[in-house]
Amino acid sequence: HEAQKATERYVFYHPKMGQQLIERLVLEQDLHYALDNGEIYLEYQPQINLRTGSIDSVEALVRWQHPEKGLISPAAFIPIAEETGLIVPIGEWILETACRQVKQWHNEGISHIGVAVNLSTGQFFQQNLVGMVEDILARTDLPPHYLELEITESMTVDTNHMADILHDLKQLGVKIAVDDFGTGYSSMYYLKKFPIDCLKIDRSFVRNVQSDHHDDVLISMMISMAKHLELKVVAEGVEEIGQLSFLADCDIIQGYLFSRPIDPEELSANFDTIQKKALSITQLKEVV
Ligand code: C2E
Ligand code: MG
Ligand code: MG
Ligand code: MG
């Protein structure tokens, strides 16, 4: 009833807005049950070591298979999870599921693989993020150095508070990456203020690196800066072989060129194939 009242007010004000608001309220309602209904799941995208050609790690990416609306992207529902506070249980589920999956891969003989998990703003406001991560690592029996947590520059968290939490997380032995690097207002400040291990160059720079000299220069600068700061550099969104010659000094490459994000069973089944493809691509003359 509350919801209906709210929409009626907007319909009167602007018909289109009303429709959007209804859609949004429906999603919000449904998201409350999505986790319990088993509609939330993770896909994993390989991260390739450019030097060795091996799949060093995977990034966990969340998906919502809505019973009527079909697949909903995280870009659409993570903000709703944030606003409703559902990010806390969903975030915990994501972290535990990813750690458990990687531990299972270790047990199946893919023994070296690590996992990167995206954090969002609301998780820095939750009661005990550090304790939760510690508990999950203990429950899943995953050695902490296999877990990398990704933060972004668009997070609206007080930087002192964030620095405290990140230092505590580092104490656990997990790694910290800055995702979408270069797209926010505070890229440099993040590197100065936080205990960062890894920098992920945003896809928007990688996309046109072959055609836009500016992107080429900016990427070179980011890589060089990362090297001086002794950070690992990941390039995300790599789709074409031609892009690799501009990324030759990166440590890790992630993108459709090697594999889309896929579900864990598919990754298990195709691991050797993807690994072989990665080896042959990274050994090309244009790349090394
Ligand atoms: P992100 O963390 O920067 O993730 C990379 C996004 O780029 C993913 O989109 C991935 O599917 C996509 N991608 C990877 N390689 C390529 C490529 O070669 N070409 C193109 N065009 N795209 C590529 P996705 O899965 O839709 O996720 C979008 C964003 O949603 C993520 O950006 C992240 O910010 C957020 N997200 C995803 N999963 C989670 C999660 O588990 N927790 C939280 N808090 N946020 C998540
Ligand atoms: Mg990410
Ligand atoms: Mg990213
Ligand atoms: Mg991104």
Side-chain angles (χ1 to χ4, degrees):
H1 274 279
E2 282 301 313
Q4 235 167 12
K5 254 187 259 158
T7 51
E8 272 165 17
R9 203 169 55 216
Y10 275 99
V11 168
F12 180 72
Y13 180 63
H14 192 304
K16 250 193 185 155
M17 220 167 173
Q19 194 50 45
Q20 278 175 8
L21 195 66
I22 291 166
E23 288 273 328
R24 159 76 203 226
L25 286 168
V26 167
L27 276 191
E28 190 178 311
Q29 282 297 317
D30 293 349
L31 192 56
H32 280 90
Y33 305 99
L35 206 53
D36 285 343
N37 288 350
E39 295 162 12
I40 305 279
Y41 64 99
L42 298 184
E43 289 185 336
Y44 298 86
Q45 185 177 37
Q47 300 184 313
I48 312 298
N49 184 313
L50 196 53
R51 227 66 57 209
T52 63
S54 92
I55 303 172
D56 271 10
S57 46
V58 291
E59 178 176 3
L61 294 156
V62 72
R63 305 286 179 251
W64 179 14
Q65 184 66 49
H66 189 284
E68 288 117 37
K69 296 180 190 303
L71 191 61
I72 301 178
S73 90
F77 76 83
I78 291 287
I80 301 177
E82 284 274 324
E83 281 167 41
T84 52
L86 286 168
I87 192 63
V88 174
I90 291 176
E92 178 167 12
W93 182 89
I94 290 169
L95 198 62
E96 174 145 5
T97 304
C99 289
R100 202 172 291 290
Q101 179 60 58
V102 169
K103 183 66 188 185
Q104 190 185 318
W105 276 322
H106 289 184
N107 292 338
E108 289 170 4
I110 308 172
S111 53
H112 61 278
I113 207 166
V115 65
V117 177
N118 295 281
L119 289 182
S120 61
T121 303
Q123 293 178 280
F124 282 87
F125 290 108
Q126 80 182 62
Q127 261 302 307
N128 185 9
L129 176 63
V130 181
M132 184 195 87
V133 173
E134 190 175 18
D135 288 348
I136 287 174
L137 288 168
R139 279 207 291 277
T140 58
D141 195 29
L142 184 72
H145 67 273
Y146 287 112
L147 176 62
E148 186 165 79
L149 298 173
E150 298 190 0
I151 59 171
T152 67
E153 296 161 27
S154 56
M155 284 179 159
T156 47
V157 187
D158 170 72
T159 52
N160 288 323
H161 175 64
M162 192 142 154
D164 286 346
I165 293 181
L166 291 177
H167 277 102
D168 290 347
L169 287 169
K170 285 283 293 179
Q171 288 290 314
L172 297 180
V174 307
K175 304 219 168 67
I176 310 293
V178 183
D179 202 357
D180 305 336
F181 187 81
T183 59
Y185 296 109
S186 46
S187 310
M188 306 297 162
Y189 188 68
Y190 263 50
L191 297 183
K192 174 181 152 73
K193 179 101 181 177
F194 302 141
I196 304 297
D197 301 286
C198 171
L199 178 161
K200 296 188 77 175
I201 299 174
D202 189 66
R203 183 158 64 86
S204 59
F205 298 100
V206 174
R207 194 187 297 129
N208 302 319
V209 70
Q210 298 170 94
S211 55
D212 189 337
H213 182 58
H214 283 97
D215 287 334
D216 176 19
V217 171
L218 288 170
I219 285 179
S220 300
M221 273 185 48
M222 288 188 251
I223 295 172
S224 149
M225 188 177 67
K227 296 278 158 186
H228 281 99
L229 294 170
E230 294 177 349
L231 304 175
K232 187 176 85 174
V233 198
V234 179
E236 64 175 18
V238 179
E239 296 183 358
E240 295 166 38
I241 287 184
Q243 293 169 330
L244 286 180
S245 56
F246 297 89
L247 303 168
D249 293 325
C250 285
D251 300 298
I252 306 283
I253 304 289
Q254 184 181 347
Y256 295 172
L257 175 62
F258 298 103
S259 171
R260 287 175 176 266
I262 49 180
D263 54 48
E265 295 76 27
E266 195 179 345
L267 187 57
S268 296
N270 295 309
F271 194 86
D272 292 342
T273 314
I274 299 169
Q275 178 60 88
K276 253 189 220 141
K277 181 179 170 189
L279 264 176
S280 61
I281 291 175
T282 53
Q283 282 166 359
L284 291 171
K285 265 219 193 62
E286 303 89 288
V287 179
V288 286

XYZ file of all heavy atoms in Angstrom, residues 59 118 150 152 179-181 183 200-204 236-237, ligand 4:
123
model
N 37.840 -13.674 -11.463
C 37.019 -12.680 -10.775
C 35.610 -13.221 -10.665
O 35.040 -13.698 -11.648
C 37.001 -11.334 -11.518
C 36.100 -10.301 -10.808
C 36.118 -8.901 -11.435
O 36.784 -8.706 -12.474
O 35.456 -8.012 -10.857
N 34.353 -8.463 -5.743
C 34.017 -7.034 -5.675
C 33.308 -6.698 -4.366
O 32.373 -7.385 -3.968
C 33.085 -6.659 -6.837
C 33.762 -6.806 -8.184
O 34.534 -5.946 -8.600
N 33.489 -7.924 -8.859
N 38.135 -6.270 -4.272
C 38.178 -5.117 -5.176
C 37.335 -3.975 -4.628
O 36.169 -4.167 -4.288
C 37.672 -5.517 -6.575
C 38.523 -6.579 -7.244
C 38.145 -6.782 -8.712
O 37.226 -6.109 -9.209
O 38.781 -7.644 -9.360
N 36.319 0.318 -5.424
C 36.350 1.273 -6.536
C 36.406 2.697 -5.998
O 36.080 2.959 -4.837
C 35.109 1.168 -7.452
O 33.971 1.599 -6.711
C 34.899 -0.244 -7.950
N 39.608 -1.293 -8.435
C 38.908 -1.640 -9.666
C 38.600 -0.366 -10.451
O 38.559 0.725 -9.877
C 37.596 -2.336 -9.268
C 37.027 -3.195 -10.374
O 37.607 -3.229 -11.475
O 35.987 -3.839 -10.130
N 38.372 -0.498 -11.742
C 37.969 0.641 -12.597
C 38.921 1.815 -12.449
O 38.503 2.981 -12.461
C 36.536 1.101 -12.261
C 35.528 -0.034 -12.349
O 35.803 -1.010 -13.072
O 34.464 0.055 -11.704
N 40.200 1.509 -12.302
C 41.172 2.563 -11.997
C 41.193 3.620 -13.097
O 41.194 3.314 -14.283
C 42.579 1.983 -11.826
C 43.571 3.007 -11.338
C 43.645 3.342 -9.984
C 44.413 3.663 -12.225
C 44.534 4.300 -9.535
C 45.319 4.624 -11.780
C 45.369 4.941 -10.424
N 38.885 6.033 -13.489
C 37.571 6.583 -13.842
C 37.005 7.478 -12.748
O 36.042 8.200 -12.977
C 36.537 5.468 -14.117
O 36.421 4.667 -12.939
C 36.968 4.602 -15.279
N 43.562 -2.129 -11.265
C 42.894 -2.662 -12.456
C 42.539 -1.518 -13.384
O 41.625 -0.728 -13.090
C 41.611 -3.430 -12.072
C 41.873 -4.671 -11.236
C 40.590 -5.486 -11.048
C 40.239 -6.290 -12.292
N 39.060 -7.172 -12.049
N 43.220 -1.436 -14.498
C 42.967 -0.368 -15.472
C 41.589 -0.566 -16.083
O 41.271 -1.641 -16.586
C 44.031 -0.377 -16.586
C 45.420 -0.128 -15.989
C 43.702 0.662 -17.657
C 46.547 -0.256 -17.000
N 40.771 0.478 -16.027
C 39.384 0.341 -16.465
C 39.277 0.049 -17.957
O 40.074 0.507 -18.769
C 38.599 1.609 -16.129
C 37.113 1.412 -16.359
O 36.516 0.594 -15.637
O 36.561 2.041 -17.290
N 38.244 -0.689 -18.264
C 37.945 -1.092 -19.635
C 37.811 0.100 -20.588
O 38.114 -0.003 -21.775
C 36.636 -1.893 -19.616
C 36.189 -2.459 -20.928
C 35.242 -3.620 -20.690
N 34.003 -3.226 -20.025
C 32.918 -2.774 -20.671
N 32.944 -2.674 -21.984
N 31.828 -2.457 -20.018
N 37.354 1.229 -20.091
C 37.155 2.397 -20.964
C 38.469 2.879 -21.576
O 38.474 3.478 -22.648
C 36.473 3.527 -20.192
O 37.254 3.905 -19.088
N 41.560 -4.753 -17.732
C 40.266 -5.430 -17.846
C 39.607 -5.106 -19.187
O 39.920 -4.110 -19.830
C 39.346 -5.087 -16.676
C 38.926 -3.647 -16.574
C 37.910 -3.379 -15.453
O 37.760 -4.206 -14.540
O 37.268 -2.330 -15.502
N 38.736 -5.986 -19.623
C 37.974 -5.738 -20.849
C 38.775 -5.900 -22.127
O 38.470 -5.275 -23.135
Mg 34.829 -2.026 -14.679
